[in-house]
Amino acid sequence: MTQAQREKLKQKLLELHAELTGKTPAKIEPNRTDESRVGGDEDEQPLNEMLQTIASSRNRNSDIVLQRVVKALGKLRDDPDSFGECEECGDEIPFGRMEAMPYVEFCVNCQSKRDAPKSGRRRHLTDYK
Ligand SMILES: [Zn+2]
């Protein structure tokens, strides 16, 4: 991977990071403790709790991506030469794949092995003849 390519992916990762930690997903507002509004707001508290529950379940998927984004950024900083290499086999991950998912950790081969069902061996097409 060239320096320019790495720089491009780094930008993408930083954008993703900003997106995941910032504007989306639904910002969780802290419960209001505004002194000028004490009293008369008894209905507000349960609503806040409900909104926080919704926000946190919506955030769960992006949390996983965020972890990977953070990991990828750490790798770029600490070990830039290994960035873009499959963590399983060490092959270089095609740039197109990195561009689509700059936080990706495995090449297509290793990813599909990992995604394969764990029970039993993979059937070959010939098994069905
Ligand atoms: Zn691999």
Side-chain angles (χ1 to χ4, degrees), residues 86-91 106-111:
C86 173
E87 292 199 354
E88 189 78 28
C89 67
D91 274 4
F106 304 105
C107 71
V108 179
N109 271 339
C110 295
Q111 186 74 61

Side-chain angles (χ1 to χ4, degrees), residues 111-125:
Q111 186 74 61
S112 62
K113 273 180 214 158
R114 293 175 74 91
D115 290 344
K118 280 180 181 128
S119 60
R121 69 195 176 88
R122 275 183 104 178
R123 284 174 180 275
H124 290 282
L125 279 175

Side-chain angles (χ1 to χ4, degrees), residues 14-80:
L14 289 172
E15 278 167 28
L16 267 171
H17 188 268
E19 201 172 301
L20 292 169
T21 55
K23 48 184 207 288
T24 54
K27 239 183 194 168
I28 298 174
E29 298 283 344
N31 286 330
R32 287 189 68 110
T33 50
D34 196 342
E35 283 174 43
S36 65
R37 300 187 57 189
V38 169
D41 277 342
E42 279 157 35
D43 290 341
E44 201 171 305
Q45 192 66 14
L47 178 65
N48 266 341
E49 279 167 19
M50 191 184 80
L51 289 176
Q52 289 195 358
T53 308
I54 293 170
S56 66
S57 67
R58 265 187 55 195
N59 289 357
R60 206 162 294 149
N61 273 339
S62 47
D63 277 354
I64 296 167
V65 174
L66 179 59
Q67 280 172 20
R68 294 170 71 184
V69 168
V70 168
K71 192 180 165 191
L73 282 168
K75 206 169 175 181
L76 262 175
R77 187 193 55 212
D78 299 333
D79 193 9

Side-chain angles (χ1 to χ4, degrees), residues 124-129:
H124 290 282
L125 279 175
T126 50
D127 288 348
Y128 295 102
K129 273 184 182 166

